[in-house]
Amino acid sequence: MDTDRWRLTHLVREVARNVLNARSRPALLLFLAVIFGVGGIGYAAAESHALANQLAAEQAAGRNIISFGALDPNEPVLIDRASCDQLTEIAGVTRAGLVQLATSRDFLQLGTNVPVLAASQTLFPALRDGVVLVGSALRPPAATDFTLATTEGTLMQARVNHAEPTGLNTNSVVVVPLTPGTTSTSACIAVLDQRADASLLTPILTARLHTAGGQIVAQPASSPAIDPVKAYLSRPGQYVPLILGLVGGLATGLVNRSRTSELAAYRLSGTSARSSALLLGLETALIAGVTATSAVAAILALHDRIQTPLATACIALAGAATWWLTGILATIDIPFRNAISLAKDR
Amino acid sequence: MRLSIEEVGLRYGKVDVLTGFSARFEDHTLTALTGPSGSGKTTLLAAMAGYLQPSSGTIRLYSDEGQPSPPTPALVAWVPQGSNALSGRTALDNVLLGALSSGRTMTDAVAVATAALERVGVAHRAGAAAKTLSGGELQRVAFARALASDKPIIFADEPTANLDADSTDQLAHVLEALRSTRLLVVATHDPILIEAAQTAVSLRPEHHGH
Ligand SMILES: Nc1ncnc2c1ncn2[C@@H]1O[C@H](COP(=O)(O)OP(=O)(O)OP(=O)(O)O)[C@@H](O)[C@H]1O
Ligand SMILES: [Mg+2]
């Protein structure tokens, strides 16, 4: 039978010398493997960057901000303060708290009839510093902290509230803390984490609220037609590493087809078809391993710029496996061909 | 070891290369296989090595005890007509293939391969990449690779096509020395090799009637 006595270590040495050899053709594949491995991750980072931009824009427009209030304006509802403030204990909720549109007041620096909103410190943590928050659209006289005075002469420490999303509608109001005695109001607001799934969380949050009076309803501050996170998670672009693996595997098949004369050198001097197949399979595994390693290295280097590093790594590894399998499928007939006709291939 | 061919026909598709051909190749003998280009020398060697099934007749190997068996590539080291090589690897690495495929340790294999390169006169090029060797050097490396394998049979397909008279003489001496341990067949047009051979088997071109 067609057998030989190659030792595995020596065959592995052949693999290394054939692939890690600038003068040999598989070195081209090695180059491709690094480019594809890093390129696939670079593409994922670019997609993540686009998502981050989109999320920032939608966050400013009020994405993932949910207000709870009466379903029917004729049937007012009272929401218990503790149950609303404690929504922050639920994973995916960044902040939450009661709000109450108190009155409007006249301020020396801001003009007359400025709306004043009373809110929980859990919704506006800056209130804990003993300041009131002045919406940036009110043209406050200072960029940060200043002393705010009412026309009656009451002074209070104020801080400009720059960073609130429009969904909270605080850009043109002064936010003051709810008095400790307030135990319920008609409105509760929750700000969710940008990655959280609002449609999943909303019923959970609604169920946590203790209410009295009419029926309660949850309303998102903005509801974009397409959820950018869902769109990101189901984007076809995430499978680019699989396509790259397929292309790499086909390239491996092409390169191996240009090496039939070399294969003949093995086969005609005592290497069996099986050992030749093993040699080519191990060579392809080494090349696929290099593309996997490059991809993982790129993920480690860019991990804070990739939204889903673990999923990206899994797909990159699947891409490397695709490379290996495709490469083998595109090559496997060569070692089993007649060695004499292999030698004549030129 | 002895090889016997009886009434063998060889064909590619519907085209006969040989019909009803018989010959014997004896152990401890260098046989020259001659015939014009296209007469079927390579084809016959391929069948004798078990790479090609005859369309008719039988090819049998006989062990020293007279035990018959079909020909098999596992017993044959083949020196290809085109001097196939791993072009990006060194001459030594190319010759090592023969020694390593028969299960030698690396130290052992390097010793055998180096000796084989010395025998064919290219030891000084051992570290050179095969793609930088001259045609004649490459041909001798291909021969050394067969030498370095422990196969009892060597078929060399026109091993001197690119060699000058001195190198051909040297190879003829190597073949002469190998004769004691192997069954040697050389397909050749080279008068020096034909002269060095103990016997010659000659192929006539097949005449196709039209
Ligand atoms: N794979 C093949 N398919 C079809 N015909 C082939 C094949 N290989 C060889 N032939 C034909 O068979 C005939 C014998 O070829 P072969 O290579 O055995 O000749 P040869 O005696 O070795 O010639 P040379 O001295 O030129 O090497 C030629 O006519 C050749 O064209
Ligand atoms: Mg020929």
Side-chain angles (χ1 to χ4, degrees), chain B residues 42 81 157-158:
Chain B
T42 302
Q81 195 162 1
D157 198 358
E158 312 213 21

Side-chain angles (χ1 to χ4, degrees), chain A residues 235-282:
Chain A
R235 72 202 187 282
Q238 68 189 305
Y239 299 111
V240 159
L242 297 185
I243 307 283
L244 293 179
L246 192 71
V247 171
L250 293 176
T252 304
L254 277 183
V255 166
N256 285 342
R257 261 156 226 290
S258 78
R259 294 170 67 209
T260 48
S261 168
E262 298 198 349
L263 250 289
Y266 280 100
R267 295 276 275 100
L268 294 175
S269 58
T271 303
S272 69
R274 274 182 52 193
S275 294
S276 308
L278 180 61
L279 176 82
L280 290 171
L282 290 175

Side-chain angles (χ1 to χ4, degrees), chain B residues 30 32 34 169 172 176 188-200:
Chain B
L30 171 60
T34 63
D169 260 340
E176 178 59 29
T188 187
H189 304 282
D190 195 317
I192 301 178
L193 279 193
I194 297 172
E195 178 69 24
Q198 283 75 50
T199 58

